[in-house]
Amino acid sequence: MNQPLNSKEPLIEIKNLFFTYEGQDKPTLNIPAFKVMPGENLFLFGPSGSGKTTLLECLAGVLQPNSGSLKILGKDLCLMKPAERDSFRAEHLGYIFQSFNLIPYLTVFENIILPLYLSPARKARLKGSDVQLVIRGLCGNLGIGDLADKKVLELSVGQQQRVAVARALLGTPDLLLADEPTSALDTDHREKFLKLLFEVAEHFGTTVVFVSHDRSIENLFSLSLSLQTINQS
Amino acid sequence: MVLLELAFKSLRNRVFATSLTVISIALSVSLLLSVERAKRAAEEGFTQTISKTDLIVGARSGSLQLLLYTVFNMGSATNNVSWKSYQELKKNPAIGWTIPYSLGDAHRGFRVVGTNEDFFKYYHFRGDQRIELQSGRILEGLWDVVVGADVVKKLNYHLGDKIIVSHGITKGEGVVHHGDKPFEIVGIMKQTGTPLDRAVYMSLEGGEALHIDWKDGAMPTRDKMIPANQIRKEDLVVDEITAFFVGAKSRIDTLRLQREINDYKPEPLMAIIPGVALSELWGGLSYAEKVLRIISWMVVVVGFMAMLIALTTTLNERRREMAILRALGARSSQLVGLLVFESAVLTFLGVALGVGLSVGLIALLKPWLESEFGLFLGGPALTGFDFLLILITFSGGTLMGLIPALRAQKMALKDGLSVKL
Ligand SMILES: Nc1ncnc2c1ncn2[C@@H]1O[C@H](COP(=O)(O)OP(=O)(O)OP(=O)(O)O)[C@@H](O)[C@H]1O
Ligand SMILES: [Mg+2]
C-alpha cells in the first residue's frame, strides 16, 4: 500500500557511515555504501558482536552515527534533531526485539495500540479506519485473534513475538526492523512465524530488514546479505 | 495523556513496592507535621501559661525569678511585698483587679498558695480559660483548701479529706509540719494543663493562721500553742504577701503602671509583663525546638532516600520497558517525564497520607493527650507554615525522581535499545 514516488528510489541509503560506541577507539560500523529497495525482504547475517544490533539501532534513529549519511525515505536521519528522529521512528518504523517486546503491565490489546498513542502521524496512516477492527484483523491474520484481552505474561514466547509483529505493523509502517525475533522459537514455529510476518508485511507494503546469526532461515527471504561484506570495520 | 496512564498502570503493577514507598514518605511527613504541631502547642501552652494578666508585681529581684516563683511554682522569693504597699497600689485608678499571692508553705511536695476568691475570678490561662472546679466549692472558711488536679491524682484525695501543711517549700529533713492545724479539702480544680494543677490553694488568712503562735520564725513550745478551734478569721492580720497579679483597666495603661510600680518609693518593687517575660523565656529554650525540627527533616530525607532506592532498583528491571517505549517512538524527554511523574505521584500519595495520618491521629488522641499529659493542642490543625513544609516536601520528592530519570536517559542515549545486564 505504501507507494514511494518512484519505485526505483531506495528505501534505505547509507553512505560512508561511521559509528563508534562511547569509550571505544575502533568503530563498530564503517559502511561505505549500502542500499535497500522498497518491498525487499532483506536477511542480514553476521556472527555475534559483528554490529547487527548497532546497525538496526542506527537505522531506527536511536543511535546517532558519528559521520556519514543515513537516508530513509530520502530523509537523512543524521541531519535530524533527536526529537525529530523520535517522531520519524514513531511514524515510519516498526521494531521487533529478540525477546521481551511487550510491556508486562498492559494487556495484549493495549500493547498493540501503544504506537498510535505515541504518534498522531502513525494514527493518521490508518486513514480513519476503525482501530479496533484493524487490530482485531491484524491479530486474526497472525493467529492471535483470541488473545487480545489477555495479560502478556499469560502468553507463550511465540505468541508474544506475534503480538510484537502486530504492534510493529499497525499503521502500515514503511520499514520493519527485526532483531533476531525468532531465536527463542523452535524450527517449526520459526518458519510459521516468518511466513505470517512476510504475508502481513507484503499486504501492507512494508519493507523488512531482519538480522540474525542463524542462517538456517536464510532461504525464506528474497535477499540475503552478510553484514561483514558491507561493514568494513 | 498516554504517558500518565502508563505511569499509573506501572505503579499499580508494582503495588507492593509502591505502597512501601508511599508509607515511608507518609510516616516521615506525618512525623514532621506532628512535631510542628506539638511544638506549636508547646509554645502556645507555655506562653499562655498565664493570660489576661498585665503585670506581676513582687519584691525587686530578677524578672525571670519573679516569673518562675509566681507562674511556674519554681524557686522562691527573696523578699515579700508589704500589705500596706499592696493596699496602696491597689487604689491606682488604672488597675482593674488584683490577685494576691502568698507562698512559703508546702504540702507533700506541692506548693501551698495563699490567695483569695479573686484568684478564681480573674486568673486566666490559654486565652480566656479560667479556673473551674470539678467538684466542691471555692475558698470560704479559714481552714479551707482547694487543690489542683495533679495533686488529687498523685495523692488520691477526695473532698472532705484533711491535709496537713508543712512550713517551707521542700520536703524532707528540717521541715516543720503544722500538724496541729489541719485543713479540709473543699474544692478540686479541673485540669488546666498549667502549673496551677500542681498546687494547693488556701486563703491568705489561713496561711497567717498557721503561724499565728510563732514568734520570730520559730515554732511555739507546746504550752504556747494556740489550738485551731480558737483562731477566727477576723482576728488575723495579714501583713505581707509574696506577689500580686494586676489586670489593668485598659491595656494602654500597662507600661505606665509598670513604670509607676517600679518607681514606688516606700518599697523596692518590681512589675513584669508576663506575656513578654514568657516569650523571652521561650525564646531562650528555642534551641530545643530547632533540634526537633532538624531531626524531623532528617526523617523526611530518609523517607526520600527510601523512595530513591525503590525507584532506582525498579529502574533496572524497567530498562526493557523504557527500550520498548523508545523503539515505539517515545522521546527520551518523555521517558524522563514518565519517571518524574511517577515519583511525583508517589510523593503526592505519601504526603497526602502523611497529612491525613498526622491530623487524624492528633484529633483522635487529643482528649487523651489533654487529660493524661496536659498537652493542649489548640489552634488550627495545619498552618500556612505547614503548607510550606508540605510544598517543600512535595517538590523535594518530585525532584528526587529526576535523579534516576536522568540516569536512565543518559544510559539510553549512550547504549541505544540494547538492554545488557
Ligand atoms: N553499549 C555499548 N558500549 C560499548 N560497546 C558496545 C555497546 N554495545 C555493543 N558494543 C560493542 O559493539 C559491537 C557490536 O555489538 P552488537 O550488539 O551490535 O552486536 P550483534 O551483532 O548484535 O551481536 P549479537 O548477535 O550477539 O546480538 C560488540 O563488539 C560490542 O562489544
Ligand atoms: Mg544483537
Side-chain angles (χ1 to χ4, degrees), chain A residues 147 149-156 159-160:
Chain A
L147 302 179
D149 297 315
K150 282 215 169 188
K151 287 188 181 151
V152 298
L153 294 174
E154 295 165 2
L155 269 53
S156 74
Q159 288 167 333
Q160 287 186 15

Side-chain angles (χ1 to χ4, degrees), chain B residues 137-421:
Chain B
R137 56 173 172 82
I138 63 166
L139 302 170
E140 277 169 21
L142 191 56
W143 306 108
D144 289 354
V145 289
V146 169
V147 291
D150 286 356
V151 179
V152 168
K153 247 185 241 169
K154 176 110 184 282
L155 303 176
N156 198 18
Y157 281 157
H158 304 280
L159 282 183
D161 283 355
K162 298 265 194 266
I163 66 169
I164 286 167
V165 171
S166 49
H167 188 67
I169 283 161
T170 42
K171 282 194 283 191
E173 267 179 79
V175 175
V176 186
H177 296 283
H178 300 288
D180 55 329
K181 300 182 178 71
F183 286 79
E184 185 188 339
I185 297 176
V186 298
I188 296 172
M189 281 158 52
K190 276 193 185 161
Q191 180 104 30
T192 65
T194 69
L196 292 178
D197 297 341
R198 291 183 294 279
V200 174
Y201 301 87
M202 61 163 67
S203 64
L204 289 169
E205 292 81 5
E208 225 38 66
L210 276 176
H211 309 111
I212 191 167
D213 41 15
W214 286 37
K215 283 276 168 313
D216 305 320
M219 234 175 129
T221 47
R222 198 158 284 277
D223 55 311
K224 291 209 178 110
M225 271 188 189
I226 304 176
N229 53 20
Q230 287 176 19
I231 306 172
R232 285 181 313 141
K233 200 167 179 175
E234 298 76 52
D235 301 337
L236 293 158
V237 254
V238 180
D239 45 39
E240 49 184 23
I241 56 175
T242 313
F244 60 96
F245 300 90
V246 174
K249 278 206 182 98
S250 149
R251 273 271 144 101
I252 311 161
D253 295 328
T254 306
L255 285 176
R256 190 174 52 78
L257 256 178
Q258 184 185 26
R259 208 169 331 111
E260 278 179 30
I261 294 169
N262 285 339
D263 294 344
Y264 184 67
K265 285 280 155 350
E267 203 176 337
L269 295 180
M270 178 170 78
I272 58 168
I273 301 173
V276 173
L278 283 165
S279 299
E280 273 172 18
L281 187 53
W282 182 259
L285 301 172
S286 65
Y287 68 92
E289 79 184 75
K290 275 186 198 127
V291 168
L292 263 183
R293 182 177 285 164
I294 289 171
I295 290 173
S296 44
W297 274 116
M298 271 160 34
V299 171
V300 170
V301 169
V302 170
F304 282 161
M305 283 300 155
M307 180 173 81
L308 189 62
I309 291 166
L311 287 177
T312 317
T313 46
T314 53
L315 200 66
N316 246 331
E317 299 153 22
R318 297 178 66 204
R319 285 174 63 190
R320 227 333 123 185
E321 187 185 323
M322 298 291 142
I324 295 166
L325 290 172
R326 284 284 284 150
L328 294 179
R331 272 174 268 128
S332 62
S333 61
Q334 281 177 310
L335 298 190
V336 171
L338 179 76
L339 292 173
V340 172
F341 179 73
E342 276 185 19
S343 60
V345 170
L346 289 179
T347 323
F348 178 80
L349 291 177
V351 168
L353 189 68
V355 171
L357 210 65
S358 153
V359 172
L361 222 59
I362 287 178
L364 211 69
L365 295 180
K366 206 175 154 179
W368 183 68
L369 289 173
E370 284 177 4
S371 66
E372 282 300 306
F373 299 99
L375 186 61
F376 284 83
L377 297 153
L382 292 172
T383 61
F385 186 70
D386 288 338
F387 282 109
L388 185 71
L389 293 183
I390 290 170
L391 202 72
I392 292 173
T393 316
F394 178 69
S395 339
T398 307
L399 286 178
M400 207 57 105
L402 262 178
I403 297 171
L406 291 177
R407 214 171 83 92
Q409 185 188 38
K410 203 176 138 210
M411 286 191 309
L413 290 179
K414 205 174 98 222
D415 300 339
L417 302 178
S418 31
V419 177
K420 297 160 194 130
L421 290 174

Side-chain angles (χ1 to χ4, degrees), chain A residues 47-54 56-57 95 98 179-180 211 213, chain B residues 418 420:
Chain A
S48 185
S50 57
K52 303 183 294 294
T53 301
T54 311
L56 283 195
E57 288 181 8
Y95 200 105
Q98 181 171 359
D179 193 353
E180 312 194 52
V211 304
H213 63 270
Chain B
S418 31
K420 297 160 194 130

